[in-house]
Amino acid sequence: MSPTATATITPQDAPTTMLDDFLIRAALAGIGLTLATGPLGSFVVWRRMAYFGDATSHAAILGVALAFGFGLPLYAGTLVVALAMALTVAALSGRGHAMDTVLGVLAHAALAFGLVAASFISGLRVDLTAFLFGDILAVSRTDLAVVWGGSAVVAVLLIWRWQELLTATVNEELAQASGQDPLRARLVLTLALALTVAVAIKIVGALLIAALLIIPAAAARQLARGPESMALAATAIGATSVLGGLQASLNFDTPAGPSIVVVAALIFVLSLGVKRRG
């Protein structure tokens, strides 16, 4: 199976042992990713940074093209460009620009530049459009190590700065009065988001990263009573979405990445009903 082709699970294509092997890797990769997207997605929802995630994930396609063009590791090229985009957006956000317009220009321009740049790379046999939706079924053991390592770094970073991030999210003036630096909190989230996008691009793709960040956190917000419980619930909902999406892909022969997001969306709809009854 090509590592860049959008795939669906078809039991007839491989023996049971092989099927179990790549399914286990896919499940482990997805669950590992939710260790970062759960708590980070909670901050994205609290701070209304959904646009930020979209811009960073779209820019990651340009990073993929540059990585192939210059012979760099895929994750390194993606991380550099995602971080550059995140820092650019963070810098512009404090200067009074019309952020919806600026982000629309940056996100779509970076995505288009990435796809166009790929056409100028001679001998490139990779279709970058596959990175728009990812291919969780083609995850290798090396990818697993990168995903779990990157997610662990993000999780540790957020736990380390948890109280500072919470205070700055609730009230930046209160954070300053407490001797904290809101700019540093914004930078921590920027770095965490760029790293998450870099490790997630191959698994769920640029167009689905923001969905995996936002939807589980939005569903958890309907159910949780505090910040910590929301972060944990978002992680649990993300992991459930991964397992449910893979099972749905196996049963109905549908694309795995989008199936995961569909399950997450269904959980969000159910969470709205739970809140109404509460």
Side-chain angles (χ1 to χ4, degrees):
M1 185 182 296
S2 170
T4 56
T6 302
T8 57
I9 303 176
T10 52
Q12 296 82 3
D13 292 343
T16 302
T17 54
M18 182 179 177
L19 176 67
D20 292 341
D21 187 45
F22 75 75
L23 266 180
I24 290 173
R25 288 200 304 270
L28 289 174
I31 292 172
L33 183 59
T34 63
L35 297 179
T37 59
L40 182 59
S42 298
F43 281 105
V44 168
V45 169
W46 292 330
R47 298 175 70 100
R48 300 181 180 179
M49 293 172 60
Y51 64 86
F52 198 96
D54 277 332
T56 307
S57 59
H58 280 64
I61 293 296
L62 177 58
V64 173
L66 293 178
F68 283 117
F70 290 99
L72 300 173
L74 173 63
Y75 293 109
T78 306
L79 177 60
V80 168
V81 174
L83 183 58
M85 173 62 79
L87 291 174
T88 300
V89 171
L92 291 175
S93 65
R95 298 187 178 182
H97 293 276
M99 288 310 299
D100 56 343
T101 302
V102 172
L103 286 166
V105 171
L106 290 176
H108 294 92
L111 176 60
F113 271 115
L115 296 176
V116 170
S119 66
F120 289 97
I121 302 175
S122 59
L124 181 63
R125 298 180 181 179
V126 177
D127 181 9
L128 290 192
T129 57
F131 287 94
L132 294 176
F133 297 99
D135 188 5
I136 194 171
L137 301 182
V139 170
S140 66
R141 289 179 173 82
T142 300
D143 294 326
L144 271 179
V146 171
V147 169
W148 277 85
S151 294
V153 170
V154 170
V156 169
L157 183 62
L158 294 179
I159 293 172
W160 178 40
R161 292 292 182 181
W162 183 262
Q163 193 57 51
E164 179 182 348
L165 293 172
L166 276 182
T167 305
T169 298
V170 173
N171 191 317
E172 290 195 352
E173 293 182 357
L174 177 61
Q176 288 179 329
S178 303
Q180 300 173 359
D181 186 1
L183 181 60
R184 183 173 58 191
R186 193 178 303 121
L187 180 60
V188 168
L189 291 177
T190 298
L191 293 172
L193 184 59
L195 182 56
T196 301
V197 168
V199 300
I201 185 72
K202 188 175 180 181
I203 297 178
V204 293
L207 298 183
L208 303 181
I209 291 174
L212 198 57
L213 279 167
I214 297 168
I215 298 177
R221 192 175 193 177
Q222 310 297 324
L223 308 173
R225 296 183 178 181
E228 291 79 11
S229 61
M230 177 173 164
L232 292 174
T235 302
I237 291 172
T240 302
S241 300
V242 168
L243 298 177
L246 290 174
Q247 185 63 49
S249 181
L250 174 64
N251 292 341
F252 303 109
D253 193 19
T254 55
S259 297
I260 291 171
V261 177
V262 167
V263 172
L266 292 176
I267 294 175
F268 172 73
V269 172
L270 292 175
S271 73
L272 296 177
V274 170
K275 186 179 182 180
R276 282 197 297 271
R277 292 193 299 270

